[in-house]
Amino acid sequence: MQTASLECSGDVLDLTAGPLQVELSASDAELRDAALQSLELFGVHWAPPYRRVRIRLDRRAVDKRAGGSFLTCARMNVDASEALVFASTMSGICTIGFSLRHLDTWQISAPWTAFTEPVVGDIEDLLGLALTFGWRREGWVPVHAAAVEKDGRCLILCAPSGGGKSTMTTALMRNGWRTLGDDKLLLRCDGGTPVLHALLATFNLHPQTTRWFSEIGDLEDLQRYSAWTDKRRVSVDRIAPGASAVRARPTHLVRLSRNPGGSGVAVSPLRKDELLATLLRQIVVPRRPEVARQIVATAAATAAVMTGLDIAVGDDAYEDSAWLRKIEGAL
């Protein structure tokens, strides 16, 4: 897995984020560094051509607030038309985005305020919004899931945040599986065939993960993955050298859950009619019908060609190799 390019021309930084070429500029170093903390995670190399995305951050208070007609998240509301997007956050940071055929332009305005973790987190969310619009315009659907592949099988691991995706992915990698990532993936149908593509070259592991994988080493001193989590950024090669994958055709969907107080892993089939709903829970679907239709159609085509598994993980699951035999046997 190669590292994405990062170049500087004057006060403009050039980065890639999947199929996007991002031109980043900022009015001061604090804003620039906050943006880089998020954008530098997209370390998987994609071949050109790229869609161009210009992002400018500046210090300016904006009184207007978005109503959320397109999307409402925990701390962000988004309004959008065909070519114009406006979003605002709880900390008063706003963005406006314009789209042309091959170019998106975004202005992110932050008031002069202390850079607390919620403020940094809001900047991360607005940057993610800009990238998501670009990915979708290139036909890709962002998926908040993990994925691993081995011997022609590719598993999409689905669970809510903190549901064990990163830990299960780490465990599989250390037993011969390769990974496309543990958090963000891109999905689309190429000629009717669903394809997953990797985005990130790092994992977000909680320091407690070393309870099962002590050979990874102490994670406490590593940089935090984002402002919203205590998880740390860990390179894929530190977990399992050479275990990176870039592209795969999904074959299995895993609904992953924790079983507190339980032992080992419990594996059972997932009904065919549960696959689409499980996958859609890992995807942000906005309210605008034409955008939602494209996303749901891609998810439905993917669910139609996959087999489903339900895996409940007990507290001591990874302490005995039986968990691996049970999962691979079910596949």
Side-chain angles (χ1 to χ4, degrees), residues 54-55 155 222:
R54 291 176 180 165
I55 302 176
L155 282 60
L222 297 180

Side-chain angles (χ1 to χ4, degrees), residues 1 149 173 177-180 200-201 235-237 240-246:
M1 184 177 292
E149 67 90 19
M173 288 167 59
W177 290 73
R178 301 169 71 227
T179 183
L180 286 81
L200 306 180
S235 69
V236 172
D237 282 343
S244 298
V246 174

Side-chain angles (χ1 to χ4, degrees), residues 16-69:
T16 55
L20 308 179
Q21 181 77 39
V22 180
E23 301 171 14
L24 175 70
S25 61
S27 61
D28 61 74
E30 190 174 34
L31 284 173
R32 180 201 61 206
D33 292 346
L36 278 177
Q37 181 175 313
S38 176
L39 293 175
E40 67 185 4
L41 293 175
F42 297 97
V44 175
H45 175 74
W46 286 54
Y50 301 110
R51 181 179 186 87
R52 293 172 61 208
V53 179
R54 291 176 180 165
I55 302 176
R56 171 71 179 175
L57 295 92
D58 65 10
R59 301 281 191 174
R60 182 164 54 95
V62 178
D63 293 332
K64 184 180 178 182
R65 295 292 179 265
S69 60

Side-chain angles (χ1 to χ4, degrees), residues 49-181:
Y50 301 110
R51 181 179 186 87
R52 293 172 61 208
V53 179
R54 291 176 180 165
I55 302 176
R56 171 71 179 175
L57 295 92
D58 65 10
R59 301 281 191 174
R60 182 164 54 95
V62 178
D63 293 332
K64 184 180 178 182
R65 295 292 179 265
S69 60
F70 182 82
L71 183 69
T72 300
C73 301
R75 292 179 54 87
M76 177 174 66
N77 286 345
V78 184
D79 298 328
S81 62
E82 181 65 28
L84 177 65
V85 180
F86 177 71
S88 60
T89 69
M90 291 179 63
S91 59
I93 304 174
C94 299
T95 187
I96 186 166
F98 300 91
S99 178
L100 301 174
R101 185 176 180 183
H102 297 297
L103 171 66
D104 301 330
T105 301
W106 294 83
Q107 181 74 39
I108 298 177
S109 299
W112 287 98
T113 184
F115 259 46
T116 60
E117 288 191 347
V119 171
V120 174
D122 286 349
I123 291 176
E124 292 175 357
D125 289 346
L126 291 175
L127 291 168
L129 178 72
L131 298 180
T132 293
F133 269 85
W135 292 329
R136 286 177 180 158
R137 288 179 177 124
E138 293 301 300
W140 293 96
V141 174
V143 182
H144 175 59
V148 292
E149 67 90 19
K150 180 181 180 181
D151 299 333
R153 298 169 295 181
C154 174
L155 282 60
I156 302 179
L157 306 177
C158 300
S161 295
K165 298 185 296 295
S166 297
T167 307
M168 173 63 77
T169 304
T170 298
L172 290 169
M173 288 167 59
R174 299 192 63 77
N175 285 275
W177 290 73
R178 301 169 71 227
T179 183
L180 286 81

Side-chain angles (χ1 to χ4, degrees), residues 287-301:
R287 296 189 177 98
R288 191 171 168 189
E290 59 269 34
V291 179
R293 278 195 295 269
Q294 175 193 354
I295 293 170
V296 173
T298 300

